[in-house]
Amino acid sequence: MVNQSQLTIKRTLPALLAIVVGLFTIAGIAYFFNNIVGDRYASTGDRAPDATQEYLIDADTANEIDDLFAIVGAIAQDDRGETGPVLAGITAAQFHTSPLASATSADESQALNERIVRLMGRPALRTLVGSNRPLADAKTPNRSPAATFILERASLASKQNKLQIFVLGPCTNVASALLLNPKIAEVIHVRYLGFWYNAETGVYDKKEFNTGNDSIALNLLLNNPKLEFTVMTATTSEALQMSRADLNERLPQGHPVTKMLQRRWDTFDRWWTDEDANKQHWTMWDVASLEAWFEPDLATLSELPAPADNLDRNIKVYTAIDSAAMLDRYFSVVSDYLETVE
């Protein structure tokens, strides 16, 4: 015979079990989205402070020629983490304000990046295309494979071991990644090549090519208090002048990479100036940004107030470089590397 208490338990048990199962289901779903989906692009802190550091290059490669030289130098420097940082990949940026740019300028940069990694003997090095247009506003990201890749690599970084991002063109791709997941601001370090700086007055001039290709994106980065920001100004990097004679004499002649750089130098239309019509010299703006990081002793880095129209905080600014030593180092590293690659 079943008493009343047993009957009550028998009747309520299925309901209780359903509630418990429901709670576990809800908890499981919450865990999945918070810890798997949500953290897919969030800072997980997986990379220990003493782990190998990663960096990536975001370049408007098809815009000029110095991006090509910078990427070649970085790949030649990269030893896959045996003794130094690892080049995780190269993302392609737009340069829509150039009179030579098509509507798909980022795709043009991507095509060149793919060619460079093949000629450098690193076909597996990841290259991803970014947005072909600048940000429309400070709240809407431009989704692209490049922005997704930045999020992917940032998810492995930590506050103590940040992902270093060299922005050699406009900031569209990294700004989009930040808009997609603001959490990554604490685990990335943006190293920007752009704007002019007057050391005597402390005044920045944003009327500069990279800045003008996406001023919204640049200001978004400068106004983020959690984001570490270093700039190699156009004023400072302008001192790095490479001669065509150096290119002929200091890299292995006949090598496919040397020939690619020579051809690009000779055929690119330097539309912004009539000076040096025979192109005997070229400013290697982007090379300076990377070389200053590879060999800190060759550059002077200062902590200075950010531009007056941005957030009141300090940023890091390169104010001087040893251009001769940088060129010597660059040619030595690249030449040695090319001797090992057919």
Side-chain angles (χ1 to χ4, degrees), residues 25 125 172 264 320:
T25 301
L125 182 62
T172 309
R264 182 71 176 179

Side-chain angles (χ1 to χ4, degrees), residues 4 27 43 85 96 123 137 145 152 157 163 194 251 268-269 307 318 333 342:
Q4 189 63 36
S43 165
H96 73 284
D137 56 64
E152 173 194 317
L163 172 67
L251 292 182
F268 185 82
D269 180 12
Y318 284 105
V333 170
E342 294 296 331

Side-chain angles (χ1 to χ4, degrees), residues 64-65 68-69 112 115-116 119 244 247-248 251 253-270 279 282:
E64 223 215 275
I65 76 167
L68 281 75
F69 280 83
L112 271 176
R115 186 182 179 205
I116 293 170
L119 291 178
R244 186 64 170 76
L247 177 55
N248 287 344
L251 292 182
Q253 293 308 295
H255 192 285
V257 172
T258 305
K259 290 195 291 185
M260 174 193 66
L261 296 175
Q262 290 171 329
R263 190 178 307 112
R264 182 71 176 179
W265 186 304
D266 294 338
T267 60
F268 185 82
D269 180 12
R270 193 154 61 183
K279 295 184 286 192
W282 212 293

Side-chain angles (χ1 to χ4, degrees), residues 158-192:
S158 65
K159 293 181 181 179
Q160 296 77 28
N161 192 344
K162 296 183 179 183
L163 172 67
Q164 309 291 311
I165 304 177
F166 286 84
V167 180
L168 306 183
C171 300
T172 309
N173 296 328
V174 66
S176 293
L178 277 163
L179 288 171
L180 288 167
N181 187 352
K183 290 182 180 179
I184 69 169
E186 298 183 4
V187 296
I188 65 174
H189 181 166
V190 173
R191 296 176 174 273
Y192 177 62

Side-chain angles (χ1 to χ4, degrees), residues 26-238:
I26 292 171
I29 292 172
Y31 178 85
F32 177 80
F33 280 99
N34 288 332
N35 295 280
I36 298 177
V37 175
D39 276 357
R40 182 181 176 191
Y41 299 132
S43 165
T44 62
D46 286 346
R47 192 179 301 142
D50 58 349
T52 300
Q53 189 170 49
E54 278 194 350
Y55 73 102
L56 61 86
I57 298 172
D58 184 75
D60 56 342
T61 314
N63 169 57
E64 223 215 275
I65 76 167
D66 57 322
D67 301 77
L68 281 75
F69 280 83
I71 292 170
V72 165
I75 296 175
Q77 172 86 16
D78 186 37
D79 62 5
R80 284 80 153 178
E82 290 187 9
T83 60
V86 173
L87 176 58
I90 304 165
T91 52
Q94 54 85 16
F95 51 99
H96 73 284
T97 66
S98 167
L100 304 182
S102 69
T104 55
S105 56
D107 293 273
E108 296 175 40
S109 295
Q110 174 68 11
L112 271 176
N113 292 343
E114 291 174 356
R115 186 182 179 205
I116 293 170
V117 299
R118 288 196 303 269
L119 291 178
M120 290 291 289
R122 294 287 305 279
L125 182 62
R126 297 178 69 181
T127 58
L128 300 101
V129 67
S131 173
N132 278 305
R133 66 187 194 281
L135 294 185
D137 56 64
K139 295 182 179 180
T140 308
N142 291 353
R143 296 176 182 271
S144 69
T148 300
F149 179 66
I150 291 169
L151 292 171
E152 173 194 317
R153 304 322 301 173
S155 72
L156 302 175
S158 65
K159 293 181 181 179
Q160 296 77 28
N161 192 344
K162 296 183 179 183
L163 172 67
Q164 309 291 311
I165 304 177
F166 286 84
V167 180
L168 306 183
C171 300
T172 309
N173 296 328
V174 66
S176 293
L178 277 163
L179 288 171
L180 288 167
N181 187 352
K183 290 182 180 179
I184 69 169
E186 298 183 4
V187 296
I188 65 174
H189 181 166
V190 173
R191 296 176 174 273
Y192 177 62
L193 186 285
F195 50 74
W196 305 91
Y197 178 71
N198 187 317
E200 294 183 0
T201 63
V203 173
Y204 299 87
D205 182 357
K206 294 182 181 178
K207 293 179 181 178
E208 175 271 332
F209 186 80
N210 286 350
T211 303
N213 270 284
D214 200 335
S215 58
I216 292 175
L218 173 63
N219 288 326
L220 190 150
L221 302 186
L222 287 170
N223 291 334
N224 191 321
K226 296 181 179 180
L227 180 68
E228 189 171 3
F229 190 93
T230 296
V231 59
M232 170 62 77
T233 68
T235 309
T236 299
S237 57
E238 190 175 33

Side-chain angles (χ1 to χ4, degrees), residues 314-334:
N314 285 347
I315 61 174
K316 295 172 184 175
V317 180
Y318 284 105
T319 55
I321 58 172
D322 185 338
S323 56
M326 274 190 177
L327 282 177
D328 286 343
R329 183 185 182 282
Y330 176 86
F331 280 116
S332 176
V333 170
V334 175

